[in-house]
Amino acid sequence: MPNEGYRLEWPDPNTHPHNIDSKAEKALTKLQASFMSSSTTTDDPSDKAPSEVLVFPIIQAGQFNIREEEQCLSVLFNHVALHGTSASFNPTMDLTSGYFGLYKPYQDLILSSSIDCRIIAASPMVNFRKCF
């Protein structure tokens, strides 16, 4: 097949693409650390306006030993369980993903928590492809 206007360049000729696990883990960990060190959020929910929304982009790449999603959700649910909810502090958590499949430990966290959760998932038809 002739060149179709693109060229694939592999930035590290000493590492075969099938053996990128440790390099990817280091690169993702470095990326995460750079964002964590530049974070400027406060830790006190009373400092926030009642309608404020916090968005936390997280990475889950188990094949590269990056399990930030699991750690973050566990910490979040444990924090809410420790501090409880009240009339002045009653958060709602929205969980979403384009490939959402509710992992059993997440099911357990949601079902045992007092936090309100909304699960936003793509339609089962989103990945539907008509085959002829």
Side-chain angles (χ1 to χ4, degrees):
M1 195 179 245
N3 184 338
E4 296 183 10
Y6 64 88
R7 186 174 95 193
L8 176 64
E9 292 185 29
W10 189 252
D12 183 357
N14 297 321
T15 303
H16 188 277
H18 294 150
N19 300 318
I20 65 165
D21 294 12
S22 65
K23 289 192 179 236
E25 178 182 354
K26 287 176 190 171
L28 289 170
T29 301
K30 184 178 176 182
L31 175 68
Q32 289 173 300
S34 73
F35 281 100
M36 294 299 285
S37 66
S38 67
S39 176
T40 59
T41 61
T42 64
D43 290 333
D44 186 358
S46 65
D47 290 346
K48 301 190 183 324
S51 63
E52 187 166 337
V53 174
L54 298 176
V55 177
F56 295 95
I58 51 180
I59 298 172
Q60 180 76 6
Q63 70 274 29
F64 302 128
N65 200 32
I66 304 291
R67 301 194 182 284
E68 187 178 45
E69 178 184 271
E70 292 176 45
Q71 295 163 350
C72 286
L73 287 177
S74 180
V75 166
L76 180 59
F77 277 100
N78 288 334
H79 177 79
V80 172
L82 282 173
H83 298 287
T85 59
S86 66
S88 63
F89 181 68
N90 189 17
T92 298
M93 184 185 326
D94 293 328
L95 299 173
T96 186
S97 173
Y99 54 87
F100 199 77
L102 199 52
Y103 182 48
K104 176 72 167 115
Y106 298 169
Q107 292 176 32
D108 296 341
L109 286 170
I110 291 167
L111 293 173
S112 66
S113 174
S114 61
I115 191 171
D116 292 334
C117 291
R118 293 182 294 197
I119 299 172
I120 305 165
S123 160
M125 300 302 289
V126 77
N127 294 317
F128 176 73
R129 185 170 83 180
K130 194 170 189 176
C131 298
F132 296 96

mmCIF file of all heavy atoms in Angstrom, residues 64-105:
data_model
loop_
_atom_site.group_PDB
_atom_site.id
_atom_site.type_symbol
_atom_site.label_atom_id
_atom_site.label_comp_id
_atom_site.label_asym_id
_atom_site.label_seq_id
_atom_site.Cartn_x
_atom_site.Cartn_y
_atom_site.Cartn_z
ATOM 1 N N PHE A 64 0.488 -0.530 32.620
ATOM 2 C CA PHE A 64 1.703 0.242 32.889
ATOM 3 C C PHE A 64 1.862 0.518 34.391
ATOM 4 O O PHE A 64 2.584 1.420 34.791
ATOM 5 C CB PHE A 64 1.687 1.558 32.115
ATOM 6 C CG PHE A 64 1.551 1.382 30.630
ATOM 7 C CD1 PHE A 64 0.582 2.068 29.933
ATOM 8 C CD2 PHE A 64 2.389 0.522 29.935
ATOM 9 C CE1 PHE A 64 0.446 1.909 28.560
ATOM 10 C CE2 PHE A 64 2.260 0.355 28.566
ATOM 11 C CZ PHE A 64 1.285 1.052 27.877
ATOM 12 N N ASN A 65 1.141 -0.224 35.225
ATOM 13 C CA ASN A 65 1.204 -0.101 36.673
ATOM 14 C C ASN A 65 0.757 1.286 37.150
ATOM 15 O O ASN A 65 1.245 1.799 38.143
ATOM 16 C CB ASN A 65 2.608 -0.433 37.186
ATOM 17 C CG ASN A 65 2.602 -0.788 38.653
ATOM 18 O OD1 ASN A 65 1.631 -1.356 39.154
ATOM 19 N ND2 ASN A 65 3.661 -0.452 39.356
ATOM 20 N N ILE A 66 -0.178 1.899 36.426
ATOM 21 C CA ILE A 66 -0.749 3.189 36.809
ATOM 22 C C ILE A 66 -2.191 2.918 37.219
ATOM 23 O O ILE A 66 -3.023 2.564 36.385
ATOM 24 C CB ILE A 66 -0.712 4.204 35.637
ATOM 25 C CG1 ILE A 66 0.705 4.376 35.106
ATOM 26 C CG2 ILE A 66 -1.342 5.520 36.046
ATOM 27 C CD1 ILE A 66 1.663 5.080 36.030
ATOM 28 N N ARG A 67 -2.484 3.051 38.502
ATOM 29 C CA ARG A 67 -3.810 2.749 39.032
ATOM 30 C C ARG A 67 -4.385 3.952 39.791
ATOM 31 O O ARG A 67 -4.974 3.825 40.851
ATOM 32 C CB ARG A 67 -3.755 1.523 39.923
ATOM 33 C CG ARG A 67 -3.246 0.298 39.186
ATOM 34 C CD ARG A 67 -3.508 -0.976 39.938
ATOM 35 N NE ARG A 67 -2.983 -2.131 39.244
ATOM 36 C CZ ARG A 67 -3.532 -2.689 38.179
ATOM 37 N NH1 ARG A 67 -4.618 -2.191 37.670
ATOM 38 N NH2 ARG A 67 -2.992 -3.746 37.609
ATOM 39 N N GLU A 68 -4.204 5.106 39.202
ATOM 40 C CA GLU A 68 -4.643 6.352 39.836
ATOM 41 C C GLU A 68 -6.156 6.385 40.039
ATOM 42 O O GLU A 68 -6.629 6.840 41.074
ATOM 43 C CB GLU A 68 -4.195 7.530 38.972
ATOM 44 C CG GLU A 68 -4.438 8.871 39.618
ATOM 45 C CD GLU A 68 -3.946 10.007 38.762
ATOM 46 O OE1 GLU A 68 -4.197 10.012 37.539
ATOM 47 O OE2 GLU A 68 -3.318 10.907 39.326
ATOM 48 N N GLU A 69 -6.916 5.904 39.076
ATOM 49 C CA GLU A 69 -8.373 5.903 39.193
ATOM 50 C C GLU A 69 -8.813 5.115 40.424
ATOM 51 O O GLU A 69 -9.621 5.595 41.221
ATOM 52 C CB GLU A 69 -8.996 5.313 37.933
ATOM 53 C CG GLU A 69 -10.509 5.225 37.978
ATOM 54 C CD GLU A 69 -11.054 4.545 36.745
ATOM 55 O OE1 GLU A 69 -11.320 5.263 35.768
ATOM 56 O OE2 GLU A 69 -11.205 3.302 36.757
ATOM 57 N N GLU A 70 -8.293 3.911 40.580
ATOM 58 C CA GLU A 70 -8.656 3.080 41.730
ATOM 59 C C GLU A 70 -8.304 3.777 43.035
ATOM 60 O O GLU A 70 -9.099 3.789 43.982
ATOM 61 C CB GLU A 70 -7.942 1.729 41.661
ATOM 62 C CG GLU A 70 -8.412 0.848 40.530
ATOM 63 C CD GLU A 70 -7.614 -0.442 40.441
ATOM 64 O OE1 GLU A 70 -7.372 -1.077 41.484
ATOM 65 O OE2 GLU A 70 -7.236 -0.812 39.313
ATOM 66 N N GLN A 71 -7.112 4.350 43.093
ATOM 67 C CA GLN A 71 -6.666 5.020 44.316
ATOM 68 C C GLN A 71 -7.520 6.248 44.617
ATOM 69 O O GLN A 71 -7.934 6.457 45.757
ATOM 70 C CB GLN A 71 -5.194 5.406 44.197
ATOM 71 C CG GLN A 71 -4.275 4.211 44.089
ATOM 72 C CD GLN A 71 -2.897 4.562 43.556
ATOM 73 O OE1 GLN A 71 -2.654 5.666 43.079
ATOM 74 N NE2 GLN A 71 -1.989 3.606 43.611
ATOM 75 N N CYS A 72 -7.787 7.060 43.605
ATOM 76 C CA CYS A 72 -8.560 8.296 43.808
ATOM 77 C C CYS A 72 -9.984 8.011 44.270
ATOM 78 O O CYS A 72 -10.477 8.656 45.194
ATOM 79 C CB CYS A 72 -8.596 9.124 42.531
ATOM 80 S SG CYS A 72 -7.050 9.957 42.166
ATOM 81 N N LEU A 73 -10.640 7.048 43.607
ATOM 82 C CA LEU A 73 -12.016 6.753 43.999
ATOM 83 C C LEU A 73 -12.083 6.173 45.412
ATOM 84 O O LEU A 73 -12.978 6.512 46.188
ATOM 85 C CB LEU A 73 -12.677 5.821 42.991
ATOM 86 C CG LEU A 73 -13.038 6.475 41.662
ATOM 87 C CD1 LEU A 73 -13.613 5.454 40.695
ATOM 88 C CD2 LEU A 73 -14.000 7.633 41.843
ATOM 89 N N SER A 74 -11.135 5.338 45.740
ATOM 90 C CA SER A 74 -11.105 4.771 47.085
ATOM 91 C C SER A 74 -10.902 5.868 48.129
ATOM 92 O O SER A 74 -11.614 5.923 49.141
ATOM 93 C CB SER A 74 -9.998 3.725 47.179
ATOM 94 O OG SER A 74 -9.962 3.174 48.466
ATOM 95 N N VAL A 75 -9.944 6.763 47.881
ATOM 96 C CA VAL A 75 -9.691 7.873 48.812
ATOM 97 C C VAL A 75 -10.922 8.774 48.930
ATOM 98 O O VAL A 75 -11.314 9.176 50.027
ATOM 99 C CB VAL A 75 -8.450 8.692 48.360
ATOM 100 C CG1 VAL A 75 -8.363 10.018 49.090
ATOM 101 C CG2 VAL A 75 -7.184 7.882 48.570
ATOM 102 N N LEU A 76 -11.549 9.072 47.796
ATOM 103 C CA LEU A 76 -12.723 9.942 47.797
ATOM 104 C C LEU A 76 -13.868 9.339 48.602
ATOM 105 O O LEU A 76 -14.445 9.996 49.474
ATOM 106 C CB LEU A 76 -13.175 10.221 46.366
ATOM 107 C CG LEU A 76 -14.398 11.114 46.206
ATOM 108 C CD1 LEU A 76 -14.160 12.480 46.833
ATOM 109 C CD2 LEU A 76 -14.760 11.246 44.747
ATOM 110 N N PHE A 77 -14.190 8.087 48.340
ATOM 111 C CA PHE A 77 -15.277 7.450 49.078
ATOM 112 C C PHE A 77 -14.945 7.324 50.562
ATOM 113 O O PHE A 77 -15.806 7.520 51.418
ATOM 114 C CB PHE A 77 -15.621 6.089 48.472
ATOM 115 C CG PHE A 77 -16.543 6.175 47.291
ATOM 116 C CD1 PHE A 77 -16.049 6.085 46.003
ATOM 117 C CD2 PHE A 77 -17.907 6.344 47.470
ATOM 118 C CE1 PHE A 77 -16.897 6.158 44.909
ATOM 119 C CE2 PHE A 77 -18.765 6.421 46.377
ATOM 120 C CZ PHE A 77 -18.261 6.328 45.097
ATOM 121 N N ASN A 78 -13.696 7.001 50.894
ATOM 122 C CA ASN A 78 -13.302 6.910 52.302
ATOM 123 C C ASN A 78 -13.384 8.268 52.988
ATOM 124 O O ASN A 78 -13.797 8.360 54.140
ATOM 125 C CB ASN A 78 -11.895 6.333 52.433
ATOM 126 C CG ASN A 78 -11.849 4.853 52.114
ATOM 127 O OD1 ASN A 78 -12.849 4.145 52.261
ATOM 128 N ND2 ASN A 78 -10.717 4.384 51.653
ATOM 129 N N HIS A 79 -13.008 9.334 52.292
ATOM 130 C CA HIS A 79 -13.091 10.689 52.850
ATOM 131 C C HIS A 79 -14.540 11.044 53.177
ATOM 132 O O HIS A 79 -14.829 11.547 54.260
ATOM 133 C CB HIS A 79 -12.507 11.703 51.867
ATOM 134 C CG HIS A 79 -12.632 13.116 52.339
ATOM 135 N ND1 HIS A 79 -11.783 13.657 53.276
ATOM 136 C CD2 HIS A 79 -13.517 14.087 52.010
ATOM 137 C CE1 HIS A 79 -12.143 14.908 53.509
ATOM 138 N NE2 HIS A 79 -13.193 15.192 52.749
ATOM 139 N N VAL A 80 -15.436 10.760 52.255
ATOM 140 C CA VAL A 80 -16.853 11.059 52.486
ATOM 141 C C VAL A 80 -17.389 10.214 53.638
ATOM 142 O O VAL A 80 -18.139 10.702 54.478
ATOM 143 C CB VAL A 80 -17.679 10.856 51.202
ATOM 144 C CG1 VAL A 80 -19.167 10.962 51.490
ATOM 145 C CG2 VAL A 80 -17.278 11.887 50.157
ATOM 146 N N ALA A 81 -16.977 8.958 53.700
ATOM 147 C CA ALA A 81 -17.439 8.089 54.785
ATOM 148 C C ALA A 81 -16.963 8.609 56.145
ATOM 149 O O ALA A 81 -17.709 8.585 57.118
ATOM 150 C CB ALA A 81 -16.953 6.664 54.568
ATOM 151 N N LEU A 82 -15.721 9.110 56.217
ATOM 152 C CA LEU A 82 -15.182 9.631 57.473
ATOM 153 C C LEU A 82 -15.860 10.924 57.918
ATOM 154 O O LEU A 82 -16.112 11.142 59.084
ATOM 155 C CB LEU A 82 -13.681 9.893 57.344
ATOM 156 C CG LEU A 82 -12.765 8.692 57.427
ATOM 157 C CD1 LEU A 82 -11.327 9.095 57.110
ATOM 158 C CD2 LEU A 82 -12.833 8.069 58.817
ATOM 159 N N HIS A 83 -16.128 11.784 56.949
ATOM 160 C CA HIS A 83 -16.670 13.105 57.280
ATOM 161 C C HIS A 83 -18.177 13.178 57.148
ATOM 162 O O HIS A 83 -18.777 14.169 57.550
ATOM 163 C CB HIS A 83 -15.995 14.170 56.402
ATOM 164 C CG HIS A 83 -14.525 14.241 56.649
ATOM 165 N ND1 HIS A 83 -13.982 14.794 57.780
ATOM 166 C CD2 HIS A 83 -13.479 13.783 55.928
ATOM 167 C CE1 HIS A 83 -12.669 14.696 57.742
ATOM 168 N NE2 HIS A 83 -12.332 14.072 56.628
ATOM 169 N N GLY A 84 -18.776 12.137 56.608
ATOM 170 C CA GLY A 84 -20.222 12.080 56.483
ATOM 171 C C GLY A 84 -20.785 13.153 55.578
ATOM 172 O O GLY A 84 -20.066 13.936 54.978
ATOM 173 N N THR A 85 -22.072 13.143 55.474
ATOM 174 C CA THR A 85 -22.769 14.183 54.723
ATOM 175 C C THR A 85 -23.707 14.885 55.680
ATOM 176 O O THR A 85 -24.096 14.349 56.707
ATOM 177 C CB THR A 85 -23.564 13.579 53.548
ATOM 178 O OG1 THR A 85 -24.504 12.646 54.059
ATOM 179 C CG2 THR A 85 -22.643 12.895 52.544
ATOM 180 N N SER A 86 -24.043 16.113 55.351
ATOM 181 C CA SER A 86 -24.955 16.891 56.176
ATOM 182 C C SER A 86 -25.746 17.807 55.260
ATOM 183 O O SER A 86 -25.556 17.822 54.054
ATOM 184 C CB SER A 86 -24.160 17.719 57.196
ATOM 185 O OG SER A 86 -23.388 18.694 56.514
ATOM 186 N N ALA A 87 -26.611 18.610 55.849
ATOM 187 C CA ALA A 87 -27.390 19.552 55.046
ATOM 188 C C ALA A 87 -26.478 20.543 54.334
ATOM 189 O O ALA A 87 -26.760 20.986 53.229
ATOM 190 C CB ALA A 87 -28.382 20.281 55.934
ATOM 191 N N SER A 88 -25.342 20.877 54.945
ATOM 192 C CA SER A 88 -24.433 21.844 54.329
ATOM 193 C C SER A 88 -23.387 21.186 53.431
ATOM 194 O O SER A 88 -22.732 21.856 52.650
ATOM 195 C CB SER A 88 -23.731 22.668 55.409
ATOM 196 O OG SER A 88 -22.930 21.829 56.207
ATOM 197 N N PHE A 89 -23.208 19.883 53.552
ATOM 198 C CA PHE A 89 -22.217 19.182 52.746
ATOM 199 C C PHE A 89 -22.812 17.860 52.274
ATOM 200 O O PHE A 89 -22.794 16.861 52.981
ATOM 201 C CB PHE A 89 -20.937 18.928 53.554
ATOM 202 C CG PHE A 89 -19.855 18.219 52.777
ATOM 203 C CD1 PHE A 89 -19.214 18.848 51.721
ATOM 204 C CD2 PHE A 89 -19.481 16.929 53.099
ATOM 205 C CE1 PHE A 89 -18.219 18.206 51.000
ATOM 206 C CE2 PHE A 89 -18.484 16.274 52.385
ATOM 207 C CZ PHE A 89 -17.849 16.919 51.324
ATOM 208 N N ASN A 90 -23.401 17.884 51.098
ATOM 209 C CA ASN A 90 -24.010 16.694 50.523
ATOM 210 C C ASN A 90 -23.594 16.598 49.058
ATOM 211 O O ASN A 90 -24.339 16.975 48.169
ATOM 212 C CB ASN A 90 -25.528 16.738 50.663
ATOM 213 C CG ASN A 90 -26.163 15.423 50.271
ATOM 214 O OD1 ASN A 90 -25.488 14.403 50.194
ATOM 215 N ND2 ASN A 90 -27.449 15.444 50.011
ATOM 216 N N PRO A 91 -22.381 16.109 48.803
ATOM 217 C CA PRO A 91 -21.868 16.081 47.434
ATOM 218 C C PRO A 91 -22.569 15.038 46.563
ATOM 219 O O PRO A 91 -23.149 14.084 47.058
ATOM 220 C CB PRO A 91 -20.398 15.712 47.616
ATOM 221 C CG PRO A 91 -20.386 14.920 48.882
ATOM 222 C CD PRO A 91 -21.458 15.524 49.753
ATOM 223 N N THR A 92 -22.496 15.271 45.266
ATOM 224 C CA THR A 92 -22.954 14.306 44.277
ATOM 225 C C THR A 92 -21.772 13.992 43.382
ATOM 226 O O THR A 92 -21.066 14.893 42.948
ATOM 227 C CB THR A 92 -24.103 14.889 43.426
ATOM 228 O OG1 THR A 92 -25.200 15.173 44.278
ATOM 229 C CG2 THR A 92 -24.530 13.909 42.345
ATOM 230 N N MET A 93 -21.560 12.722 43.124
ATOM 231 C CA MET A 93 -20.457 12.316 42.262
ATOM 232 C C MET A 93 -21.024 11.779 40.955
ATOM 233 O O MET A 93 -21.919 10.949 40.957
ATOM 234 C CB MET A 93 -19.604 11.235 42.923
ATOM 235 C CG MET A 93 -18.405 10.877 42.069
ATOM 236 S SD MET A 93 -17.372 9.519 42.658
ATOM 237 C CE MET A 93 -17.413 9.638 44.390
ATOM 238 N N ASP A 94 -20.482 12.299 39.848
ATOM 239 C CA ASP A 94 -20.809 11.779 38.529
ATOM 240 C C ASP A 94 -19.636 10.932 38.059
ATOM 241 O O ASP A 94 -18.504 11.405 38.040
ATOM 242 C CB ASP A 94 -21.026 12.915 37.519
ATOM 243 C CG ASP A 94 -22.260 13.730 37.826
ATOM 244 O OD1 ASP A 94 -23.237 13.163 38.355
ATOM 245 O OD2 ASP A 94 -22.262 14.937 37.531
ATOM 246 N N LEU A 95 -19.897 9.696 37.696
ATOM 247 C CA LEU A 95 -18.870 8.812 37.152
ATOM 248 C C LEU A 95 -19.205 8.568 35.690
ATOM 249 O O LEU A 95 -20.341 8.229 35.351
ATOM 250 C CB LEU A 95 -18.849 7.475 37.905
ATOM 251 C CG LEU A 95 -18.530 7.542 39.389
ATOM 252 C CD1 LEU A 95 -18.717 6.160 40.025
ATOM 253 C CD2 LEU A 95 -17.124 8.028 39.608
ATOM 254 N N THR A 96 -18.220 8.754 34.826
ATOM 255 C CA THR A 96 -18.465 8.546 33.415
ATOM 256 C C THR A 96 -17.216 8.055 32.703
ATOM 257 O O THR A 96 -16.106 8.284 33.167
ATOM 258 C CB THR A 96 -18.970 9.843 32.734
ATOM 259 O OG1 THR A 96 -19.330 9.554 31.393
ATOM 260 C CG2 THR A 96 -17.923 10.927 32.767
ATOM 261 N N SER A 97 -17.434 7.378 31.614
ATOM 262 C CA SER A 97 -16.345 6.903 30.771
ATOM 263 C C SER A 97 -16.942 6.442 29.453
ATOM 264 O O SER A 97 -18.064 5.932 29.422
ATOM 265 C CB SER A 97 -15.628 5.739 31.452
ATOM 266 O OG SER A 97 -14.691 5.168 30.574
ATOM 267 N N GLY A 98 -16.207 6.612 28.388
ATOM 268 C CA GLY A 98 -16.673 6.165 27.082
ATOM 269 C C GLY A 98 -16.740 4.652 26.969
ATOM 270 O O GLY A 98 -17.423 4.111 26.113
ATOM 271 N N TYR A 99 -16.046 3.942 27.833
ATOM 272 C CA TYR A 99 -16.032 2.482 27.799
ATOM 273 C C TYR A 99 -16.455 1.920 29.150
ATOM 274 O O TYR A 99 -16.029 0.873 29.569
ATOM 275 C CB TYR A 99 -14.624 1.969 27.451
ATOM 276 C CG TYR A 99 -13.555 2.515 28.368
ATOM 277 C CD1 TYR A 99 -13.234 1.889 29.562
ATOM 278 C CD2 TYR A 99 -12.886 3.683 28.039
ATOM 279 C CE1 TYR A 99 -12.273 2.397 30.407
ATOM 280 C CE2 TYR A 99 -11.923 4.209 28.886
ATOM 281 C CZ TYR A 99 -11.614 3.553 30.061
ATOM 282 O OH TYR A 99 -10.669 4.067 30.898
ATOM 283 N N PHE A 100 -17.331 2.622 29.816
ATOM 284 C CA PHE A 100 -17.661 2.354 31.205
ATOM 285 C C PHE A 100 -18.169 0.932 31.427
ATOM 286 O O PHE A 100 -19.134 0.490 30.835
ATOM 287 C CB PHE A 100 -18.711 3.349 31.680
ATOM 288 C CG PHE A 100 -18.783 3.467 33.168
ATOM 289 C CD1 PHE A 100 -17.838 4.192 33.839
ATOM 290 C CD2 PHE A 100 -19.783 2.855 33.876
ATOM 291 C CE1 PHE A 100 -17.885 4.312 35.216
ATOM 292 C CE2 PHE A 100 -19.848 2.964 35.242
ATOM 293 C CZ PHE A 100 -18.900 3.704 35.916
ATOM 294 N N GLY A 101 -17.501 0.236 32.300
ATOM 295 C CA GLY A 101 -17.928 -1.052 32.804
ATOM 296 C C GLY A 101 -17.675 -0.983 34.300
ATOM 297 O O GLY A 101 -16.543 -0.766 34.712
ATOM 298 N N LEU A 102 -18.698 -1.084 35.100
ATOM 299 C CA LEU A 102 -18.541 -0.824 36.527
ATOM 300 C C LEU A 102 -17.793 -1.957 37.220
ATOM 301 O O LEU A 102 -18.315 -3.037 37.466
ATOM 302 C CB LEU A 102 -19.904 -0.590 37.167
ATOM 303 C CG LEU A 102 -19.920 0.103 38.497
ATOM 304 C CD1 LEU A 102 -19.127 1.410 38.468
ATOM 305 C CD2 LEU A 102 -21.338 0.390 38.940
ATOM 306 N N TYR A 103 -16.542 -1.685 37.509
ATOM 307 C CA TYR A 103 -15.607 -2.572 38.196
ATOM 308 C C TYR A 103 -16.203 -2.942 39.558
ATOM 309 O O TYR A 103 -16.743 -2.079 40.260
ATOM 310 C CB TYR A 103 -14.308 -1.784 38.305
ATOM 311 C CG TYR A 103 -13.114 -2.424 38.916
ATOM 312 C CD1 TYR A 103 -12.684 -3.682 38.566
ATOM 313 C CD2 TYR A 103 -12.356 -1.700 39.842
ATOM 314 C CE1 TYR A 103 -11.535 -4.220 39.124
ATOM 315 C CE2 TYR A 103 -11.209 -2.233 40.402
ATOM 316 C CZ TYR A 103 -10.811 -3.497 40.045
ATOM 317 O OH TYR A 103 -9.678 -4.023 40.598
ATOM 318 N N LYS A 104 -16.147 -4.204 39.938
ATOM 319 C CA LYS A 104 -16.788 -4.695 41.169
ATOM 320 C C LYS A 104 -16.389 -3.892 42.406
ATOM 321 O O LYS A 104 -17.259 -3.524 43.207
ATOM 322 C CB LYS A 104 -16.482 -6.184 41.343
ATOM 323 C CG LYS A 104 -17.013 -6.793 42.623
ATOM 324 C CD LYS A 104 -18.520 -6.961 42.613
ATOM 325 C CE LYS A 104 -18.965 -7.844 43.748
ATOM 326 N NZ LYS A 104 -19.794 -7.173 44.735
ATOM 327 N N PRO A 105 -15.110 -3.564 42.627
ATOM 328 C CA PRO A 105 -14.784 -2.738 43.796
ATOM 329 C C PRO A 105 -15.469 -1.367 43.765
ATOM 330 O O PRO A 105 -15.820 -0.830 44.812
ATOM 331 C CB PRO A 105 -13.264 -2.591 43.719
ATOM 332 C CG PRO A 105 -12.818 -3.833 43.023
ATOM 333 C CD PRO A 105 -13.890 -4.089 41.991
#
